[in-house]
Amino acid sequence: MHLFSYVDGSLHCEGVKLDEIADRFGTPAYVYSANTIRENYRRLDTALAPLDHLVCFAVKANSNLAVLQILARLGSGFDIVSGGELFRVLKAGARADRCTFAGVGKTREEIAYALREGVYSFNVESEGELERINEVAGSLGMKAPIAIRVNPNVDAKTHKFISTGKSKNKFGIGLDRAPEVYKVAASLAHLKIRGIQTHIGSQILEAAPFAEAAQKLADLVKQIHAEHGLEFFDFGGGIGIVYDEALKSGSPDWWLAQKPGTRITPEDYAAAIIPILKPLGLRILFEPGRFLVGNAGALLSTVQYVKETPAKTFTIVDAAMNDLIRPALYEGWHEIVPLTESAGAIKPMDVVGPVCESGDFFAQDRELPPLHPGDRLAILSSGAYGFVMSSNYNSRPLLPEVLVDGTEIHLARSRQTHDDLVRGEALLPV
Ligand code: LLP
């Protein structure tokens, strides 16, 4: 769901007119709806209620401190992938013992930091990592809680860059090798086996791949539980969202009207996996990222120029691929709407940014109403993997992030300045 809608022809986020945010903070700027995040969290948490479960928000999707605070206050745990993400989660007031630490390349420093803070579990992706965690825990006189990430070789039917559960991906340990690797873990003095983990990919819009992964892992989970004693099964994230037609029906739950298979509800997800996971008798962890925050964000931008060429109309806006890279990187499709509702006849155009790359586009051959310099746009559903993937490419300052909560406006990050761009750099000596 999302809480963006037109009120008297002006696009609002909850009770705030987006033009007001653009006036106050300038464009480009990210805006997040606090109540969209809360509502998505509650809905997923409720659907999973039949399980002894913990939702661990995947911080990589949106790591703004205010967003993390909203989720921490709802009781969410966190799925982190770096020492930096752990630092953020702790800053936001969350508890380390509700954090799982994933990722294929954990450094010694990150492992030591996470051990000292007391993370719930390290999700381990290789034998080399088991040995390293054992060694670091030993040097600190501690026992490290671990889970092994198992790759079930399931086709998640999603973009190749965000599919992770196939054997050819770099993630996890194959189903057939997992029992051996658990034996290795059990033999290491400074490890404590706590769980098992899997994650098959992201932006998955069908329940079937989730059910297939749960089914493929169920016997292994029983076996490892019998041999080593497990506390939890972490089922990963991946629940997809709907990126289009968000404003057409005027309903926050517009996406429910989409065909099954092009959208997945928390209830569809829960119904497919609960019958398989509940009999395991373990605590089940989930790591949703996009589902909780994706539809909660919009990137506001202003049209700078409209360039007509014999081939195409290019609408050049002030946001660019460095601010939101999903279209360039994954051919990600984001709905684009004007802040002021327009009745003009639609026509095809490319919406592009000012960066010197042909890949710097938000939409190609998109049917949009006529746009003029100065018109403002919202690039919707950019709350997940939006700001977090932004960069300073072309020496463009990072954008502000603004959180709307009802009628309250909170500047959750200020826009970088030119001085910020060179902070930490050093001129050569004279
Ligand atoms: N757990 C693990 C181990 C993951 O690798 C990921 C995402 C998640 C949870 C959260 O997945 P989600 O629920 O958000 O689908 N930048 C890409 C998506 C990359 C996903 C990486 N891993 C995009 O913009 O589509």
Side-chain angles (χ1 to χ4, degrees):
M1 66 88 74
H2 73 79
L3 294 169
F4 291 85
S5 59
Y6 284 107
V7 179
D8 297 333
S10 289
L11 190 62
H12 282 59
C13 173
E14 303 196 18
V16 173
K17 191 173 168 176
L18 289 174
D19 272 314
E20 186 187 334
I21 292 189
D23 289 342
R24 266 176 72 178
F25 305 108
T27 65
Y30 274 97
V31 180
Y32 307 128
S33 152
N35 286 305
T36 301
I37 300 173
R38 292 191 186 107
E39 195 45 41
N40 285 335
Y41 178 89
R42 283 197 199 103
R43 186 150 183 184
L44 181 61
D45 200 45
T46 304
L48 297 170
L51 297 169
D52 169 14
H53 73 281
L54 178 65
V55 171
C56 295
F57 172 61
V59 175
K60 62 172 83 69
N62 188 322
S63 60
N64 183 281
L65 291 179
V67 169
L68 299 181
Q69 256 179 324
I70 290 175
L71 288 160
R73 287 178 186 169
L74 292 169
S76 181
F78 295 92
D79 160 42
I80 56 170
V81 292
S82 68
E85 286 192 353
L86 176 57
F87 179 78
R88 284 180 169 280
V89 164
L90 296 175
K91 272 258 178 240
R95 287 168 31 186
D97 65 0
R98 291 167 88 83
C99 289
T100 57
F101 190 175
V104 294
K106 301 176 192 78
T107 64
R108 287 198 165 75
E109 293 71 25
E110 288 177 315
I111 294 166
Y113 176 36
L115 274 170
R116 282 198 214 96
E117 294 295 342
V119 295
Y120 181 56
S121 179
F122 290 89
N123 291 340
V124 177
E125 307 241 5
S126 65
E127 282 154 284
E129 194 190 329
L130 273 184
E131 280 158 25
R132 180 179 279 187
I133 295 174
N134 181 59
E135 195 186 297
V136 177
S139 72
L140 293 173
M142 299 174 86
K143 264 192 172 236
I146 61 110
I148 289 172
R149 175 167 178 176
V150 179
N151 185 334
N153 195 20
V154 165
D155 184 355
K157 302 197 175 72
T158 184
H159 191 277
K160 61 180 189 291
F161 284 5
I162 52 176
S163 176
T164 53
K166 294 282 286 174
S167 306
K168 63 179 185 214
N169 299 125
K170 70 179 172 185
F171 300 99
I173 282 168
L175 263 183
D176 46 335
R177 289 211 47 244
E180 254 175 81
V181 179
Y182 269 96
K183 283 202 180 75
V184 173
S187 74
L188 295 170
H190 304 289
L191 299 184
K192 170 186 158 50
I193 293 172
R194 182 167 261 171
I196 185 161
Q197 197 264 0
T198 196
H199 170 79
I200 56 172
S202 195
Q203 183 55 7
I204 300 170
L205 290 165
E206 289 173 55
F210 291 115
E212 190 186 337
Q215 198 66 64
K216 276 181 111 169
L217 279 176
D219 285 339
L220 176 73
V221 174
K222 284 183 215 153
Q223 180 192 338
I224 305 290
H225 186 35
E227 287 170 7
H228 303 284
L230 294 175
E231 197 174 297
F232 73 85
F233 177 12
D234 179 341
F235 196 59
I239 308 172
I241 60 168
V242 174
Y243 277 92
D244 56 356
E245 301 201 339
L247 295 171
K248 207 166 161 184
S249 72
S251 157
D253 273 327
W254 90 103
W255 56 291
L256 296 177
Q258 305 264 331
K259 283 197 296 290
T262 57
R263 58 108 171 109
I264 181 168
T265 64
E267 295 77 18
D268 298 335
Y269 177 72
I273 57 174
I274 288 177
I276 309 166
L277 298 182
K278 193 165 168 66
L280 299 174
L282 297 173
R283 184 183 201 201
I284 311 291
L285 269 51
F286 295 92
E287 303 171 352
R290 189 186 323 258
F291 177 76
L292 297 179
V293 295
N295 293 136
L299 170 56
L300 308 186
S301 187
T302 305
V303 176
Q304 301 298 306
Y305 302 96
V306 176
K307 178 170 166 178
E308 304 278 359
T309 73
K312 280 190 176 207
T313 300
F314 292 98
T315 301
I316 303 167
V317 300
D318 59 0
M321 65 187 292
N322 72 298
D323 303 312
L324 175 68
I325 203 169
R326 300 197 69 262
L329 199 54
Y330 317 107
E331 298 158 329
W333 196 97
H334 286 260
E335 186 170 6
I336 300 177
V337 293
L339 293 203
T340 304
E341 221 169 357
S342 159
I346 55 170
K347 63 172 202 167
M349 63 184 81
D350 283 16
V351 179
V352 303
V355 160
C356 307
E357 301 247 6
S358 302
D360 183 22
F361 62 84
F362 293 112
Q364 289 179 310
D365 301 315
R366 183 78 58 88
E367 304 270 346
L368 286 171
L371 290 167
H372 309 283
D375 289 351
R376 288 166 173 165
L377 301 171
I379 304 171
L380 298 178
S381 300
S382 45
Y385 307 108
F387 181 89
V388 283
M389 295 182 77
S390 61
S391 76
N392 286 124
Y393 189 40
N394 278 209
S395 282
R396 291 170 48 86
L398 295 181
L399 305 188
E401 293 175 284
V402 181
L403 188 83
V404 171
D405 192 352
T407 53
E408 306 276 303
I409 297 172
H410 172 69
L411 180 60
R413 170 195 292 268
S414 357
R415 185 185 303 282
Q416 278 191 334
T417 61
H418 285 164
D419 279 331
D420 291 331
L421 289 178
V422 294
R423 183 152 301 127
E425 289 184 43
L427 289 168
L428 292 170
V430 271

